[in-house]
Amino acid sequence: MSGLVPPFTLETATRKVRLAEDGWNSRDPERVSLVYTPDSRWRNRAEFITGRSEIVAFLTRKWAKELDYRLIKEIWAFTDNRIAVRFAYEWHDDSGNWFRSYGNENWEFDATGLMQRRFACINDLPIRETERKYRWPLGRRPDDIPA
């Protein structure tokens, strides 16, 4: 991840966003937690999370509920040590109800490139299975599927 530290350029901020998307699409809470500072602070919807152990617990709960999760993140803006992204992801619950969740995140990084703050606003839209857009195999979004 050399060069993916503040201050960001368009190239490094865009790469940082794609790496974050790849991590979240892995649905591996331990792996994802390692890109955050040990004392990272989040607001995710109405939940407040502090530190890697709470991040792991949160993501474990999230991906136990949000099944067949597929995410696309896109850079919105950046400056110095901050990046703003917009995103959408699709998932279903254990009853087979599908959703597309839309949102925005504001990220702040420390000097080593670890995320120290994450603020997310998210809305869920119920969709029919036939309305799904994200149908690639679970895991990383293939490069030929645009953001």
Side-chain angles (χ1 to χ4, degrees):
M1 283 224 232
S2 178
L4 297 181
V5 298
F8 295 114
T9 65
L10 177 58
E11 179 183 340
T12 59
T14 300
R15 181 77 181 127
K16 197 83 159 168
V17 171
R18 180 58 193 245
L19 289 172
E21 175 189 310
D22 292 349
W24 281 64
N25 275 327
S26 77
R27 297 175 330 278
D28 179 342
E30 292 287 341
R31 173 185 167 192
V32 171
S33 75
L34 296 177
V35 302
Y36 300 94
T37 60
D39 61 347
S40 184
R41 292 189 342 208
W42 288 18
R43 181 186 50 76
N44 194 86
R45 300 177 192 254
E47 190 169 351
F48 294 85
I49 299 158
T50 303
R52 286 185 180 156
S53 63
E54 289 186 21
I55 290 170
V56 169
F58 168 80
L59 293 173
T60 300
R61 287 190 319 273
K62 174 184 178 64
W63 290 320
K65 174 189 171 198
E66 296 179 359
L67 306 173
D68 290 322
Y69 175 97
R70 290 170 178 86
L71 164 74
I72 295 178
K73 289 184 184 281
E74 189 173 52
I75 190 166
W76 187 254
F78 74 94
T79 185
D80 299 325
N81 70 332
R82 294 182 175 155
I83 299 174
V85 299
R86 61 184 181 174
F87 63 87
Y89 62 92
E90 293 179 347
W91 58 280
H92 67 86
D93 63 19
D94 60 2
S95 297
N97 300 303
W98 279 92
F99 300 87
R100 187 172 306 118
S101 300
Y102 295 99
N104 299 292
E105 293 176 322
N106 295 310
W107 301 342
E108 181 182 81
F109 296 86
D110 72 6
T112 69
L114 293 177
M115 194 181 303
Q116 58 191 7
R117 306 271 184 279
R118 176 184 171 268
F119 303 101
C121 298
I122 307 167
N123 297 295
D124 301 318
L125 173 69
I127 61 173
R128 292 185 300 274
E129 195 283 336
T130 57
E131 295 175 299
R132 290 178 52 211
K133 295 179 180 181
Y134 306 159
R135 295 182 178 271
W136 65 83
L138 288 176
R140 186 180 191 277
R141 174 175 53 93
D143 291 333
D144 62 343
I145 296 177

